[in-house]
């Protein structure tokens, strides 16, 4: 069974990259269809406060690779339903990162100053505010006091939230509608503006139509239909939908957009060879320790999921930010073996000793995490069919970064009198990794913006080189690690790209749906 | 999304709607995978090579698995209803290997202590038997390691009871309304060091 739908704009992906595109272009009067692979979510009905893997795995996906694991969401609203709602602007330092040939990684004209007006837009939309001191969770305050003891600075972080109750279940979905996921703003507003949202629909491949005609006048009514996208229902794989669209916006995330383009490569002879490469991953380094006697208690299970505080003390000198973390039991047990440093290895990751350690987890354990401006070194490769690989080459400089950052974090713990906890990260079967292994949900850059096709997939306007009307607005376009959570920068960059699309196609003429 | 401390290496749950390829992809990514082990012929033969009574005596399997779980997470109530549920849950890939695991625990118990009944061994002996399986290498170690992994996830996370959580580690399950004084401290300013930014954003 086949459906055929013609539209002005097709947006693939409904996260921080796709939702702004759907909203702005629908408001500009264009016919917009937003396609999401995952299911539709009603936050008040579908989210649960649970540790049940079956629930989480309905929405959360993982791509496991050599030295690198990526976590992302497949659901309406993308990762916004499950993020910690930390919403920070990327530091200026992030925009001046350079490659090994000393060329700036961000394209000409895109930097913090250029993004700041669009950060403003996103912050207003998501109600981003600095946390009130009275709402900082205990673990965040304990972390802050540790930094204070050492003479280091620390900031109250910023969140997309209205009326937080501190239930502690941000990462399983906020059932109160306090966390400002895209389900509460961009997406319903896009639908109100006329956008059609189709969920449970997976884009299989993208194909340019016979000739990629350039825009004639810059206005959409005279713009030819240029792309065809074949989708299949994730509920009934036999059901296919073929979209034909004038403008195509790819926003299925660093993993999804790369996979879609790589699977479509046979139709895009000039697609940059950089596509799928250059994945930046915010180099997360994590350590843990037990608080010494006399220190106030933390609490892993109450207060918002992110502990409220972040330190930029080492941003300039080492390119890292540091915060505490509050992993829930499932997050800990599924990823790491914990034992007290100095104890023997067996059988302390289970049994009586492990229970004694876990009993201290909630109130006496402090977990620190650093995000860093690690170079964009991950790569997704298309193997065959819909099979892909993920690799990260851990070279000496990355190894040095990891070790030095770990030493920095452990130093913060030990200089505060903490007993270090040895954390052995494990794979999907619970087996320890042989080597350094990075896990992140902050992946960006697989289809990055660049000044030319030799260095990236799309230009500074998000348009894929050589393919007029084909845009990327998601994290895959962000060229570097940011050392902070990536959501707000993805959103701001999407708003920037879409504002240019609106200017290019819509502002010269009063385009209405009927005219289009 | 939250930066995983870990990632919960996850996949999809709509198994009944998924192709076999998708299911395998999910298992590979989910954290609870284990389960390429049964894909090759030698593994398949091995995993079916155990005494028939473990297929015909479910109570024997149940008490063996309960003894296993309370050795991996001592302090769990041995009579707790959900204690070994993960081994019977077809969502998790160890379910088909449950009887094999119970049989292997009994075999190791017999070899090391001369007793078939793993569940009657004292804690230290059960730990030793489990360690024997983990030290075995190959598929046996993967089954034992996967069972330890799954047990810890199921117990500490309270995956089958959102109301109860896991009292052993003071995890209360779903949120209960509590005053802000329980989630933060009075006079929080006393904890805060100097800030270097106006609004929390980095320069």
């Amino acid at each position: 069974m086949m459906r055929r739908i013609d539209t002005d704009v097709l947006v693939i992906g409904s996260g921080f990259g796709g939702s702004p595109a759907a909203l702005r272009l629908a408001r500009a009067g264009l016919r917009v269809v937003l396609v999401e692979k995952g299911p539709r979510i009603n936050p008040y009905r579908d989210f649960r406060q649970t540790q049940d893997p079956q629930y989480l795995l309905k929405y959360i996906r993982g791509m496991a690779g050599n030295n690198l694991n990526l976590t992302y969401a497949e659901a309406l609203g993308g990762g916004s339903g499950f993020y910690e709602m930390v919403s920070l602007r990327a530091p200026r330092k992030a925009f001046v990162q350079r490659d090994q040939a000393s060329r700036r990684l961000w394209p000409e004209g895109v930097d913090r100053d250029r993004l700041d007006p669009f950060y403003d837009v996103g912050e207003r939309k998501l109600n981003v505010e600095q946390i009130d001191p009275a709402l900082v969770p205990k673990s965040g305050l304990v972390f802050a006091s540790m930094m204070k003891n050492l003479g280091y600075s620390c900031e109250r972080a910023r969140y997309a939230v209205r009326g937080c109750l501190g239930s502690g279940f941000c990462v399983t979905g906020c059932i109160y509608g306090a966390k400002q996921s895209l389900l509460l703003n961009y997406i319903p507003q896009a639908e109100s503006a006329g956008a059609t949202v189709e969920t449970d629909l997976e884009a299989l491949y993208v194909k340019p139509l016979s000739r990629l005609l350039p825009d004639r006048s810059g206005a959409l009514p005279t713009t030819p239909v240029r792309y065809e996208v074949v989708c299949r229902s994730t509920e009934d794989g036999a059901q296919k939908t073929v979209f034909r669209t004038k403008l195509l916006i790819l926003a299925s995330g660093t993993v999804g957009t790369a996979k879609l383009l790589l699977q479509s490569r046979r139709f895009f002879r000039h697609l940059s060879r950089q596509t799928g490469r250059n994945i930046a991953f915010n180099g997360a380094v994590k350590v843990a320790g037990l608080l010494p006697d006399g220190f106030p208690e933390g609490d892993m299970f109450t207060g918002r999921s992110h502990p409220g505080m972040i330190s930029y003390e080492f941003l300039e000198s080492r390119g890292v930010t540091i915060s505490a973390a509050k992993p829930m039991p499932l997050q800990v047990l599924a990823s790491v073996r914990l034992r007290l440093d100095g104890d023997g290895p067996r059988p302390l990751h289970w049994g009586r000793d492990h229970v004694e350690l876990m009993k201290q987890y909630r109130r006496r354990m402090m977990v620190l995490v650093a995000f860093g401006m690690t170079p964009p070194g991950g790569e997704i490769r298309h193997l065959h069919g819909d099979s892909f690989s993920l690799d990260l080459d851990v070279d000496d400089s990355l190894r040095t970064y990891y070790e030095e950052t770990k030493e920095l974090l452990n130093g913060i713990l030990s200089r505060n009198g903490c007993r270090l906890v040895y954390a052995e990260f494990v794979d999907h079967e619970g087996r320890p990794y042989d080597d350094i292994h990075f896990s992140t949900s902050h992946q960006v850059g697989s289809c990055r913006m660049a000044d030319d096709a030799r260095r990236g997939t799309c230009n500074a306007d998000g348009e894929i080189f050589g393919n007029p009307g084909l845009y990327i607005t998601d994290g895959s376009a962000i060229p570097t690690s940011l050392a902070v959570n990536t959501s707000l920068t993805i959103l701001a960059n999407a708003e920037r790209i879409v504002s240019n699309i609106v200017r290019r196609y819509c502002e010269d003429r009063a385009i209405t749906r009927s005219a289009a | 999304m939250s930066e995983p401390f870990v990632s919960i290496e996850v996949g999809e749950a709509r198994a009944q709607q998924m192709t076999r390829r998708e299911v395998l992809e999910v298992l590979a990514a989910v954290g609870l995978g284990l389960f390429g082990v049964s894909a090759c012929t030698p593994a398949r033969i091995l995993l079916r090579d155990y005494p028939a009574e473990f297929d015909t005596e479910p109570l024997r399997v149940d008490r063996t698995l309960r003894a296993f779980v309370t050795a991996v997470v001592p302090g769990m109530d041995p009579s707790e209803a959900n204690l070994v549920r993960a081994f019977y849950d077809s969502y998790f890939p160890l379910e088909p290997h449950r009887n094999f695991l119970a049989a292997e625990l009994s075999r190791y118990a017999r070899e090391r202590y001369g007793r078939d009944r793993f569940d009657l061994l004292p804690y230290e002996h059960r730990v030793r038997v489990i360690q024997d399986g983990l030290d075995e290498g190959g598929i046996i170690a993967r089954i034992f390691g996967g069972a330890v992994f799954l047990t810890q996830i199921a117990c500490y996370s309270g995956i089958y009871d959102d109301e109860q959580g896991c009292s052993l580690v003071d995890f209360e399950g779903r949120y209960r309304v509590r005053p802000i004084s329980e989630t933060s401290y009075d006079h929080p300013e006393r904890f805060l060091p100097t800030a270097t930014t106006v609004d929390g954003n980095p320069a």
Side-chain angles (χ1 to χ4, degrees):
Chain A
M1 190 173 164
M2 178 91 79
R3 286 193 304 161
R4 290 185 180 278
I5 297 174
D6 283 5
T7 186
D8 294 334
V9 183
L10 179 66
V11 181
I12 302 177
S14 62
F16 289 104
S19 293
L23 172 60
R24 302 301 173 198
L25 295 173
R27 281 190 175 167
L30 306 183
R31 290 179 302 169
V32 175
V33 178
L34 174 65
V35 167
E36 168 55 51
K37 183 178 178 184
R40 185 175 278 275
I41 293 178
N42 177 333
Y44 304 102
R45 181 194 64 207
D46 298 324
F47 285 146
R48 284 176 54 194
Q49 294 181 332
T50 184
Q51 294 287 275
D52 178 2
Q54 287 203 53
Y55 161 77
L56 289 166
L57 302 188
K58 275 199 290 193
Y59 308 116
I60 308 294
R61 303 285 179 265
M63 186 173 192
N66 295 317
N67 303 319
L68 180 64
N69 285 3
L70 308 179
T71 302
Y72 54 101
E74 282 180 1
L76 190 63
S80 74
F82 306 93
Y83 76 145
E84 289 180 336
M85 65 194 187
V86 179
S87 302
L88 295 165
R89 301 185 185 205
R92 289 178 189 282
K93 188 179 173 72
F95 297 92
V96 297
Q97 293 176 80
R98 293 179 180 274
D99 65 15
Q100 289 178 326
S102 290
R103 295 170 300 198
R104 187 170 168 260
L105 284 164
W106 286 77
E108 185 68 30
V110 185
D111 55 20
R112 171 70 179 268
D113 288 336
R114 181 78 183 99
L115 282 185
D116 268 340
F118 299 99
Y119 279 126
D120 289 342
V121 171
E123 288 179 344
R124 280 196 300 272
K125 201 69 159 173
L126 301 184
N127 198 50
V128 174
E129 292 177 344
Q130 192 174 24
I131 189 172
D132 186 284
L135 298 177
V136 176
K138 287 181 178 177
S139 290
L141 292 176
V142 173
F143 164 66
S145 69
M146 293 173 82
M147 299 301 277
K148 186 178 184 180
N149 289 344
L150 301 177
Y152 298 149
S153 63
C154 205
E155 320 294 320
R156 287 179 287 120
R158 297 170 65 80
Y159 301 87
V161 65
R162 287 178 199 272
C164 181
L165 295 175
S167 76
F169 281 86
C170 307
V171 295
T172 64
C174 181
I175 65 173
Y176 309 106
K179 178 169 72 177
Q180 296 300 289
S181 75
L182 301 168
L183 299 164
L184 302 177
N185 36 69
Y186 278 95
I187 292 172
Q189 290 169 19
E191 290 187 288
S192 294
T196 301
V197 175
E198 298 228 7
T199 57
D200 306 293
L201 209 54
E202 176 186 14
L204 298 176
Y205 60 86
V206 176
K207 195 163 83 170
L209 295 176
S210 55
R211 284 186 306 141
L212 278 176
L213 298 172
D215 309 329
R216 289 185 199 125
S217 65
L220 210 67
T222 57
T223 297
V225 171
R226 292 182 289 202
Y227 295 96
E228 183 174 274
V229 180
V230 176
C231 298
R232 73 173 165 205
S233 165
T234 57
E235 297 181 313
D236 170 10
Q239 171 136 353
K240 296 277 195 326
T241 304
V242 178
F243 293 96
R244 285 159 45 98
T245 184
K246 295 179 176 184
L247 302 180
L248 175 56
I249 293 177
L250 304 182
S252 18
T254 292
V255 174
T257 293
K259 283 185 172 181
L260 181 58
L261 281 175
L262 291 172
Q263 277 187 308
S264 307
R265 186 190 280 281
R266 65 188 185 278
F267 302 119
F268 293 89
R269 283 189 304 152
H270 302 298
L271 184 67
S272 171
R273 297 172 65 86
Q274 298 299 326
T275 303
R277 299 177 178 171
N278 311 306
I279 295 173
F281 49 94
N282 254 1
V285 179
K286 302 142 192 165
V287 303
L290 288 182
L291 296 170
D293 293 342
F295 245 81
E297 291 179 341
D299 192 336
M300 292 291 190
F301 304 148
T302 64
R304 59 186 66 180
S305 292
H306 187 273
M309 302 296 298
I310 184 167
S311 174
Y312 305 135
E313 180 74 27
F314 298 95
L315 187 55
E316 199 56 39
S317 60
R318 295 178 181 241
V320 299
T321 63
I322 300 173
S323 57
K326 294 173 57 204
M328 301 195 81
L330 183 62
Q331 290 174 281
V332 173
L333 272 301
S335 66
V336 71
R337 293 177 176 178
L338 297 175
R339 59 187 163 85
L340 283 170
D341 204 34
D343 284 344
R346 298 189 315 178
L348 292 172
H349 76 277
W350 55 276
R352 195 171 281 152
D353 295 321
H354 185 259
V355 169
E356 291 307 310
L357 183 58
M358 287 303 295
K359 283 179 178 174
Q360 300 184 74
Y361 177 76
R362 175 171 179 175
R363 300 186 194 279
R364 302 306 301 175
M365 201 173 293
M366 173 57 57
V367 175
L368 300 185
V369 57
F371 295 148
M373 294 183 199
T374 44
E379 179 174 4
I380 294 173
R381 289 193 186 91
H382 187 203
L383 301 177
H384 52 78
D386 44 12
S387 178
F388 294 84
S389 65
L390 171 66
D391 296 280
L392 171 68
D393 179 25
V394 179
D395 61 14
D396 287 346
S397 65
L398 193 53
R399 203 173 293 280
T400 300
Y401 159 82
Y402 182 87
E403 296 300 338
E404 288 182 352
T405 305
K406 188 175 170 187
E407 188 179 332
L408 172 68
L409 298 181
N410 278 335
I412 292 169
L413 292 173
S414 56
R415 289 163 64 198
N416 274 285
C418 293
R419 183 172 178 191
L420 298 183
V421 173
Y422 182 72
E424 196 172 26
F425 293 91
V426 299
D427 68 11
H428 58 278
E429 292 186 14
R431 296 178 300 184
Y433 291 114
D434 295 331
D435 197 2
I436 291 170
H437 200 95
F438 290 96
S439 291
T440 189
S441 55
H442 294 170
Q443 60 273 5
V444 293
S446 59
C447 306
R448 69 186 183 186
M449 296 182 291
D451 290 326
D452 60 65
R454 284 172 295 133
R455 298 180 58 204
T457 303
C458 59
N459 63 23
D461 289 333
E463 195 171 44
I464 295 183
F465 291 109
N467 291 274
L470 177 52
Y471 292 90
I472 299 175
T473 57
D474 60 22
S476 72
I478 303 293
T480 65
S481 295
L482 305 175
V484 294
N485 307 59
T486 51
S487 58
L488 193 66
T489 299
I490 294 170
L491 177 63
N493 191 53
E495 288 276 13
R496 181 188 65 84
I497 290 171
V498 174
S499 74
N500 287 337
I501 295 174
V502 170
R503 191 174 306 120
R504 179 170 171 180
Y505 289 101
C506 307
E507 288 192 347
D508 289 346
R509 298 173 180 211
I511 306 291
T512 64
R513 184 164 298 105
S514 58
Chain B
M1 273 186 308
S2 68
E3 172 64 22
F5 177 64
V6 171
S7 60
I8 309 166
E9 298 309 330
V10 282
E12 309 184 13
R14 298 189 306 272
Q16 71 280 10
Q17 299 163 350
M18 297 164 65
T19 65
R20 181 176 178 280
R21 176 196 59 74
E22 288 170 328
V23 170
L24 290 173
E25 186 176 280
V26 166
L27 294 181
V30 175
L32 307 169
L34 202 58
F35 305 92
V37 292
S38 55
C40 65
T41 300
R44 203 177 304 128
I45 292 169
L46 173 67
L47 293 169
R48 291 178 182 169
D49 181 23
Y50 56 84
E53 56 261 36
F54 286 93
D55 284 339
T56 58
E57 296 178 23
L59 285 177
R60 181 171 183 181
V61 171
D62 186 75
R63 69 188 181 218
T64 303
L65 293 178
R66 285 179 181 276
F68 173 84
V69 169
T70 52
V72 172
V73 188
M76 291 298 289
D77 178 357
S79 63
E80 207 266 306
N82 291 322
L83 193 70
V84 294
R85 184 168 161 187
F87 291 98
Y88 294 82
D89 186 341
S90 60
Y91 182 75
F92 296 117
L94 266 175
E95 184 261 352
H97 309 307
R98 172 184 71 229
N99 296 352
F100 173 80
L101 173 64
E104 285 298 289
L105 289 166
S106 297
R107 183 171 71 83
Y108 282 113
R110 185 172 59 250
E111 287 179 1
R112 180 168 282 277
Y113 296 111
R115 299 182 67 176
D116 272 343
R117 292 281 301 270
F118 172 79
D119 58 301
L120 295 181
L121 296 178
Y123 168 77
E124 287 76 11
H125 289 187
R126 281 181 284 143
V127 167
R128 185 62 251 180
V129 166
I130 295 169
Q131 193 63 57
D132 283 346
L134 292 169
D135 291 342
E136 181 73 42
I139 291 167
I140 304 292
R142 291 177 74 181
I143 293 283
F144 274 67
V148 168
F149 188 47
L150 179 60
T151 295
Q152 291 182 316
I153 286 172
C155 291
Y156 289 123
S157 306
I159 64 173
Y160 291 113
D161 193 339
D162 297 345
E163 295 294 323
Q164 191 172 328
C166 177
S167 57
L168 199 59
V169 292
D170 202 14
F171 173 54
E172 298 150 344
R174 69 163 179 81
Y175 171 68
R176 273 80 172 176
V177 176
R178 52 172 67 88
I180 195 69
S181 57
E182 286 187 22
T183 66
S184 189
Y185 283 113
D186 292 339
H187 309 297
E189 295 80 8
R190 63 196 157 107
F191 293 89
L192 304 181
T194 309
T196 58
T197 70
V198 176
D199 61 2
N201 276 312

